[in-house]
Amino acid sequence: MLPTITVADVRRVGLPPSTAGLQPAGGDVVLNVPVNVYVQSAQVTRDVQVLGFPVTIRATPASFTWTFGDGGSLGPTTDPGAPYPAMSTTHTYTRPGTYPVTLTTTYSAEFSVAGLPFEPVDGTVDVASPTATLTAHAGTTVLTR
């Protein structure tokens, strides 16, 4: 009998956290100006042995959830965003302070036993990225020529 892979098995082999992109970079942002957030992630393949059979697990980022530390969140969304000038995934801080920003990637997975066609794994796996810290500052803008 061929093995079946579960979400617990996928968690056990481990999936990498996505890389969170924040713009402007450096951790300092201005109140009432959108902060661009985006994700760098890719499909992950793991080859393992289960009950003596070669098994390939393929996990694909399915959605992303951001929490911004000020009560705001974004997602889950399938849009990974992109570096400036894309600005399709943003958050605007309205109060000064220092805020933890977290990104959670939700992976869907499938598996293949001994080269047979891939089958879906029931459920998903959430992987948190390292927390980043942003400090929102009050400021004024000045137009120059």
Side-chain angles (χ1 to χ4, degrees):
M1 181 169 184
L2 296 176
T4 297
I5 301 301
T6 67
V7 158
D9 297 323
V10 175
R11 281 190 193 100
R12 208 171 5 265
V13 300
L15 298 175
S18 296
T19 300
L22 303 169
Q23 291 176 317
D28 292 304
V29 301
V30 179
L31 293 182
N32 302 312
V33 175
V35 176
N36 189 34
V37 296
Y38 60 94
V39 180
Q40 295 172 332
S41 64
Q43 187 176 76
V44 178
T45 302
R46 299 281 192 252
D47 293 315
V48 297
Q49 289 283 322
V50 177
L51 301 173
F53 290 95
V55 175
T56 299
I57 297 171
R58 188 165 57 194
T60 303
S63 66
F64 310 98
T65 302
W66 294 89
T67 57
F68 297 105
D70 65 347
S73 63
L74 173 65
T77 178
T78 57
D79 183 358
Y84 182 84
M87 304 293 286
S88 66
T89 50
T90 65
H91 179 71
T92 302
Y93 289 94
T94 58
R95 294 183 317 271
T98 299
Y99 301 102
V101 178
T102 59
L103 165 65
T104 301
T105 302
T106 301
Y107 286 91
S108 61
E110 54 190 353
F111 70 98
S112 170
V113 178
L116 294 171
F118 278 89
E119 297 181 36
V121 173
D122 289 334
T124 58
V125 175
D126 290 338
V127 178
S129 297
T131 299
T133 302
L134 291 180
T135 301
H137 302 276
T140 58
T141 56
V142 177
L143 294 176
T144 60
R145 286 181 84 157

